[in-house]
């Protein structure tokens, strides 16, 4: 019974730590909102925004997408790393998901890693939350933008390397999506896969690897993995978030 309890607790901790969080702002009515998250700045999250009145509070009628102006909340204040308010090309774009932009409500979403997107904030900076608002393509002001919104993240030092595939300079293998791609042939390959707590979860051997070969590791989506690849003449360690 004790072993079963311990296994259950480990499983729950792993599931909570690795699952991708969806943060939903539903029935937006023009008021400022704070949402408590279970993720920190380094974890990929999905933000869903539902505009209840698509004309008065925030004008999204017939808008296939909206833009998210925001920045990180640090000891230096809110909206750190935010781009110019009028530069829509530098702002994350949320796409309509309900298929009918002419009828309320309009729902939009985006999947984003805040640590990677706000790369101008130095790694090691403690991030407490995410300040943001939505705007349409008409430049903000009035009902062309939402009220200020805030996601209260779990406090953590920013570390944007969690989503970067490679620690080493050699590039004989890389990740594209969830597939390991062999860029240059290296004979037989031995792969070891670890979770973000450093526990080995899978090993795999590839005989006579070829340039351009794609290897599906069958990993669960929305989780952080470390993959060690040993070839006959090269080796590489990669860390990535499966998508």
């Amino acid at each position: 019974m004790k072993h079963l309890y311990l296994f259950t607790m480990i499983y729950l901790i792993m599931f909570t730590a690795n699952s991708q969080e969806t943060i939903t702002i539903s029935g937006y009515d023009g008021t400022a909102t704070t949402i408590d998250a279970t993720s920190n700045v380094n974890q990929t999250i999905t933000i869903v925004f539902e505009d209840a009145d698509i004309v008065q509070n925030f004008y999204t009628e017939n808008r296939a997408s909206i833009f998210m102006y925001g920045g990180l909340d640090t000891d230096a204040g809110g909206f750190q790393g935010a781009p110019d308010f009028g530069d829509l090309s530098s702002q994350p774009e949320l796409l309509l998901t309900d298929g009918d932009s002419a009828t309320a409500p309009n729902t939009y979403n985006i999947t984003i890693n805040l640590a990677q997107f706000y790369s101008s904030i130095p790694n090691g900076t403690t991030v407490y939350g995410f300040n943001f608002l939505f705007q349409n393509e008409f430049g903000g002001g009035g009902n062309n933008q939402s009220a200020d919104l805030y996601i209260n993240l779990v406090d953590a030092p920013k570390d944007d390397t969690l989503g970067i595939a490679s620690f080493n300079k050699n590039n004989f293998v890389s990740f594209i999506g969830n597939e390991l791609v062999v860029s240059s042939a290296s004979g037989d390959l031995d792969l070891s896969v670890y979770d973000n707590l450093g526990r080995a979860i899978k090993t795999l051997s590839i005989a006579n690897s070829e340039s351009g070969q794609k290897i599906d590791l069958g990993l669960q989506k929305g989780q952080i993995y470390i993959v060690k690849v040993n070839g006959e003449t090269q080796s590489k360690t990669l860390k990535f978030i499966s998508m």
Side-chain angles (χ1 to χ4, degrees):
M1 179 66 72
K2 183 181 293 185
H3 290 163
L4 177 61
Y5 174 78
L6 179 60
F7 174 80
T8 302
M9 290 302 295
I10 292 173
Y11 175 82
L12 289 173
I13 292 170
M14 289 176 62
F15 182 83
T16 301
N18 290 336
S19 59
Q20 180 175 300
E21 183 175 10
T22 298
I23 297 170
T24 303
I25 304 167
S26 59
Y28 173 73
D29 61 0
T31 59
T33 302
T34 295
I35 309 102
D36 290 325
T38 60
S39 300
N40 62 48
V41 66
N42 305 311
Q43 295 174 287
T44 299
I45 60 175
T46 296
I47 299 174
V48 179
F49 174 74
E50 179 192 74
D51 188 14
D53 184 334
I54 62 176
V55 175
Q56 297 300 323
N57 298 318
F58 177 36
Y59 183 65
T60 61
E61 185 179 31
N62 297 320
R63 310 271 68 80
S65 66
I66 58 175
F67 301 90
M68 184 167 67
Y69 172 79
L72 304 181
D73 180 19
T74 73
D75 287 332
F79 286 96
Q80 297 300 302
D84 182 80
F85 186 81
D87 183 8
L88 298 181
S89 65
S90 297
Q91 299 177 23
E93 184 175 9
L94 286 77
L95 301 178
L96 183 76
T97 61
D98 58 29
D100 182 8
S101 61
T103 305
N106 279 348
T107 304
Y108 305 83
N109 75 5
I110 188 171
T111 298
I112 188 171
N113 183 293
L114 296 172
Q116 293 175 24
F117 188 86
Y118 294 96
S119 58
S120 64
I121 303 302
N123 284 340
T125 301
T126 300
V127 176
Y128 307 107
F130 177 51
N131 302 94
F132 65 109
L133 57 84
F134 298 112
Q135 62 172 316
N136 57 32
E137 72 271 31
F138 300 123
N143 67 341
N144 289 320
Q145 69 181 66
S146 72
D148 287 350
L149 307 169
Y150 185 79
I151 297 175
N152 183 27
L153 298 165
V154 175
D155 299 353
K158 176 179 173 289
D159 181 3
D160 59 20
T161 64
L162 291 178
I164 297 177
S166 173
F167 291 131
N168 301 332
K169 292 182 179 180
N170 58 77
N171 291 312
F172 81 105
V173 290
S174 59
F175 271 98
I176 298 179
N178 290 326
E179 293 182 319
L180 182 73
V181 180
V182 180
S183 302
S184 59
S186 187
D188 297 343
L189 299 178
D190 291 320
L191 287 72
S192 300
V193 183
Y194 303 85
D195 64 16
N196 67 328
L197 298 179
R199 295 176 293 209
I201 61 173
K202 181 179 293 190
T203 59
L204 185 66
S205 294
I206 306 296
N208 300 318
S209 65
E210 299 178 355
S211 298
Q213 182 177 356
K214 296 180 180 180
I215 304 167
D216 187 350
L217 299 181
L219 301 176
Q220 297 183 20
K221 295 181 178 179
Q223 300 192 27
I224 300 170
Y225 294 99
I226 298 170
V227 180
K228 294 184 178 180
V229 184
N230 291 316
E232 294 179 0
T233 60
Q234 303 180 78
S235 63
K236 188 171 184 180
T237 300
L238 307 100
K239 182 185 289 186
F240 76 107
I241 301 174
S242 58
M243 303 298 290

